[in-house]
Amino acid sequence: MKVLIPGSFDPPTNGHIEVIKRASNVFDEVFVGVVVNPQKDPMFEVAERKKMLSEILVDISNVNIESFEGLLVDFAKKMKINAIVKGLRAMTDFDYEFQMAQMNFNLADFETIFIPASPEYGYVSSSMVKEIYSYGGDVSALVPSVVVERLNNG
Ligand code: PNS
């Protein structure tokens, strides 16, 4: 089975990586889809996010890093994906994720499979990482070392 894990990954966190690794243990092929969102002002360009993800996940042979623009379901169809995979951190994620899952099913019959994040990653988000970093805080426990290096080297 071929699945797609979509997201902004701006930047990738330890929580994202855990979900991708766990998905790679369950599914034959895992595509990570970095969204190109023209409305957002990202910290990292899409190419940079893809590069970081590729470096972090280099040892996992059934994971592929891609990017997409437009509707997730259109990209999933193009890539001949069987299902969408998302990580769920806490109940706070649930409403939004449930709504997107129902919408993607309504749009194109794509099922969404949720992987529950481990408790140690339940509180980690890219937006908090960016906020902590912007105030000079230490994010090294929240993101892979590749991301820490990229942040430190501007
Ligand atoms: O990491 P994020 O920002 O929470 O990921 C959100 C993402 C990329 C999954 C969502 O914004 C998305 O699917 N965008 C593509 C456009 C789309 O298909 N929108 C309708 C979703 S129901």
Side-chain angles (χ1 to χ4, degrees):
M1 192 160 161
K2 197 167 155 177
V3 298
L4 173 63
I5 305 186
S8 302
F9 305 104
D10 184 40
T13 66
N14 288 341
H16 291 132
I17 302 306
E18 194 222 5
V19 169
I20 296 166
K21 284 186 176 166
R22 282 170 59 186
S24 77
N25 290 330
V26 177
F27 302 106
D28 302 310
E29 264 190 287
V30 175
F31 284 79
V32 177
V34 180
V35 71
V36 180
N37 187 346
Q39 267 125 51
K40 279 195 187 170
D41 183 21
M43 179 173 219
F44 292 101
E45 295 303 323
V46 170
E48 187 74 4
R49 286 179 253 160
K50 281 177 73 178
K51 191 160 173 268
M52 287 189 281
L53 284 162
S54 302
E55 286 173 23
I56 298 160
L57 296 161
V58 66
D59 293 332
I60 307 178
S61 59
N62 62 337
V63 172
N64 308 278
I65 317 297
E66 303 283 342
S67 58
F68 73 100
E69 204 166 349
L71 280 182
L72 173 62
V73 291
D74 289 341
F75 179 63
K77 269 189 244 171
K78 195 179 101 187
M79 300 296 288
K80 302 204 177 343
I81 291 296
N82 301 111
I84 296 160
V85 168
K86 290 285 196 76
L88 267 189
R89 286 168 298 196
M91 286 309 285
T92 44
D93 280 346
F94 192 78
D95 276 349
Y96 180 54
E97 291 296 343
F98 200 74
Q99 190 183 8
M100 280 200 288
Q102 287 175 324
M103 188 60 82
N104 287 327
F105 185 75
N106 264 289
L107 285 171
D109 286 349
F110 276 106
E111 294 291 0
T112 298
I113 299 165
F114 292 111
I115 292 184
S118 295
E120 65 260 44
Y121 300 123
Y123 63 94
V124 182
S125 70
S126 296
S127 44
M128 278 197 188
V129 166
K130 282 184 274 196
E131 185 166 324
I132 294 164
Y133 176 77
S134 73
Y135 291 116
D138 180 10
V139 297
S140 58
L142 309 175
V143 294
S145 54
V146 164
V147 177
V148 177
E149 281 157 31
R150 216 54 59 97
L151 285 167
N152 292 340
N153 297 331

